[in-house]
Amino acid sequence: MDTIASLFSFITTPVSWVIVQFHSVYGAIFGPDTGWAWGLSIVSLVILIRICLIPLFVKQIKATRAMQTLQPEMKKIQERYKNDKQRQSEEMMKLYKETGTNPLSSCLPILAQSPFFFALYHVLNSIANNDTIGVINQSLLESAQKAHIFGAPLAAKFTDSSADVAALDASLTTVRIVTAVMIVLMSASQFYTQRQLMTKNVDTTVKTPFMQQQKMLMYVFPVMFAVFGINFPVGVLVYWLTTNVWTMGQQMYVIHNNPTPGSKAQAAYLERLTKHVTSHGKTRRRGERAIIKAIVAKGRDRNEFERKFINGLTKAGLAAQTDGTVVKSEGAVATIAEDGTPTTTATPKRQQPKRQSKAQRQSGHAKQADEPTSLEKSEPEDAKPEAAKKDAPKPGSGGRSKAQSGQRKGGPQRPKSPSKK
């Protein structure tokens, strides 16, 4: 550990200075020798470091999603050049260069945070060994040794002996209970963060080795934290637990507002976005417009959830534009609800008549032949020719109409004989 501490000795002074500055603020509130003052100083150090690492976290998200989209191409290269490792590496580097991705970008926040972690570990270890470090002088050293978090000193470890714990004015049972609870919380938060990433924010339509690696890390990382955690001082456990909780909350925010395409989180997000856009008729944030713009630009390459989102807008009489905005489509008709709020409904489509059977068509033709035409119905009585009026039977006479030409007046008609040649 001395070798690692010497490598990161250049950062122990800034870390100790930040802790002392936060301690001066919290010490004025809770008292300089309390665990609240020193514990909140460590928590504030974590928050400050993570705020500075937000740009790297954004790059990590973009790099992770870029690697997810490249997994099918990478698998093809591995299968094509499985017997030529050198050519395989060259094709991989060529693919990274063409797409502008970097596999190490997903590890940037962890790599950038490592120096602060080792510096804090060295500072707390020096406090446990009664050694001054950085800007922590002898008076601050004595104050830090008196500080207890739930009865456990900041510099105490789970593996310390009863004599070491007694030197820090604490009991071994209390130290082990506190450290065990913090180790369990630290491992559980790490497991939940990784599980949330695998179950909600991964494109389930593409099965790649990358998903298997992430699933393996979901179980490996918590075990690693539990094993190494028994050698961490209480102050370091506070630091690592705080950074795990921060990572979990930060990831929940990203998954809720900017999920991975094709994931379950995207399906839930687009469902919420559909309800909002259809009720208000517009988008409210820049992030929403960016997501809609990306969906429109995909065209036929949209996934199932994105097609469902576009169809939902169409049914509501809305159309997504290339700039991410939403406008009323040409077929939309504005209506006013009972509460006075304007809503938009699409113009109903013209319905095609149902196809009739042959018997229905024949009966319909026969009915039309028996019924008089509209011209006959509309023809007035006075417009009938005089001859027709004369031939018409008088009302009440009961007489039959005159026989037509070529027919006998009385009795049944004789059939015509066939013509002779």
Side-chain angles (χ1 to χ4, degrees):
M1 187 64 193
D2 294 337
T3 304
I4 298 177
S6 61
L7 291 175
F8 295 96
S9 59
F10 67 94
I11 204 172
T12 54
T13 300
V15 168
S16 62
W17 182 83
V18 172
I19 292 177
V20 169
Q21 299 305 313
F22 281 122
H23 175 262
S24 62
V25 175
Y26 295 120
I29 301 173
F30 302 103
D33 299 336
T34 59
W36 285 103
W38 287 99
L40 290 175
S41 300
I42 297 173
V43 172
S44 301
L45 173 67
V46 175
I47 295 174
L48 179 63
I49 293 173
R50 296 309 300 266
I51 289 175
C52 296
L53 294 179
I54 286 178
L56 294 179
F57 180 75
V58 174
K59 290 184 178 180
Q60 180 190 20
I61 294 175
K62 293 181 179 179
T64 303
R65 293 185 179 179
M67 291 297 295
Q68 289 176 351
T69 56
L70 288 180
Q71 288 300 314
E73 298 296 330
M74 294 171 62
K75 188 175 182 180
K76 292 179 181 178
I77 293 175
Q78 291 173 355
E79 293 177 354
R80 185 180 302 174
Y81 305 104
K82 59 183 178 181
N83 297 326
D84 191 353
K85 298 297 182 181
Q86 183 178 358
R87 182 65 184 277
Q88 186 180 118
S89 302
E90 293 176 357
E91 293 296 327
M92 288 288 189
M93 296 302 296
K94 183 179 179 181
L95 180 63
Y96 294 149
K97 186 176 181 181
E98 290 176 353
T99 56
T101 56
N102 186 0
L104 297 178
S105 297
S106 58
C107 303
L108 284 177
I110 297 177
L111 295 176
Q113 191 176 336
S114 297
F116 299 97
F117 171 76
F118 287 113
L120 179 62
Y121 184 92
H122 188 49
V123 169
L124 295 175
N125 194 45
S126 299
I127 293 174
N129 296 328
N130 200 19
D131 296 331
T132 59
I133 182 172
V135 298
I136 298 179
N137 51 27
Q138 188 63 35
S139 61
L140 291 172
L141 181 64
E142 295 175 358
S143 176
Q145 288 179 341
K146 295 177 182 179
H148 291 66
I149 296 178
F150 301 110
L154 288 177
K157 306 175 186 177
F158 184 87
T159 56
D160 284 346
S161 62
S162 57
D164 296 333
V165 174
L168 297 173
D169 195 15
S171 69
L172 182 62
T173 303
T174 303
V175 169
R176 290 190 174 178
I177 291 174
V178 172
T179 53
V181 171
M182 296 183 72
I183 290 171
V184 170
L185 292 176
M186 183 177 63
S187 301
S189 60
Q190 178 67 32
F191 176 79
Y192 180 79
T193 301
Q194 196 69 19
R195 186 177 182 276
Q196 186 184 37
L197 181 65
M198 289 297 302
T199 57
K200 294 184 178 181
N201 206 37
V202 172
D203 187 358
T204 56
T205 59
V206 180
K207 303 296 183 181
T208 61
F210 179 77
M211 296 177 60
Q212 298 297 328
Q213 295 174 4
Q214 293 293 322
K215 188 175 181 180
M216 182 181 64
L217 293 176
M218 180 175 66
Y219 296 99
V220 171
F221 274 168
V223 175
M224 291 177 59
F225 275 97
V227 171
F228 294 120
I230 61 176
N231 295 315
F232 290 162
V234 174
V236 175
L237 293 178
V238 171
Y239 174 90
W240 210 247
L241 177 60
T242 305
T243 193
N244 281 357
V245 173
W246 177 280
T247 302
M248 183 174 61
Q250 189 172 247
Q251 183 173 275
M252 290 175 63
Y253 176 81
V254 172
I255 291 175
H256 187 270
N257 294 281
N258 192 14
T260 301
S263 62
K264 294 181 180 179
Q266 188 196 31
Y269 175 82
L270 292 180
E271 185 177 354
R272 296 192 305 269
L273 185 59
T274 302
K275 292 180 180 179
H276 168 75
V277 173
T278 53
S279 60
H280 294 83
K282 62 179 181 179
T283 55
R284 54 184 175 179
R285 291 197 299 265
R286 184 184 301 175
E288 294 177 349
R289 291 191 292 271
I291 291 177
I292 295 176
K293 181 179 178 181
I295 293 175
V296 173
K298 287 184 178 181
R300 295 183 178 180
D301 296 333
R302 302 186 187 107
N303 57 44
E304 178 185 357
F305 309 130
E306 294 167 347
R307 289 193 297 269
K308 185 178 179 181
F309 170 72
I310 295 297
N311 293 336
L313 294 182
T314 304
K315 291 180 180 179
L318 301 172
Q321 305 299 305
T322 55
D323 60 350
T325 58
V326 175
V327 297
K328 294 181 181 179
S329 60
E330 296 179 356
V333 179
T335 60
I336 304 298
E338 295 180 357
D339 56 355
T341 58
T343 59
T344 57
T345 56
T347 304
K349 295 182 179 180
R350 182 179 178 181
Q351 296 182 353
Q352 297 293 335
K354 294 183 179 179
R355 187 174 181 179
Q356 297 179 347
S357 63
K358 186 176 179 180
Q360 291 176 343
R361 290 197 301 270
Q362 290 178 353
S363 62
H365 289 312
K367 187 176 181 181
Q368 290 178 1
D370 295 339
E371 293 179 354
T373 60
S374 59
L375 292 176
E376 292 175 351
K377 290 181 179 180
S378 61
E379 185 178 3
E381 185 70 22
D382 296 339
K384 293 183 179 180
E386 294 294 333
K389 289 183 179 181
K390 291 179 180 180
D391 295 338
K394 294 180 180 181
S397 61
R400 298 176 63 183
S401 61
K402 291 183 178 181
Q404 297 180 357
S405 60
Q407 293 182 353
R408 300 178 64 181
K409 293 184 179 180
Q413 298 295 322
R414 183 192 304 173
K416 293 182 179 181
S417 60
S419 60
K420 296 181 180 179
K421 295 184 179 180

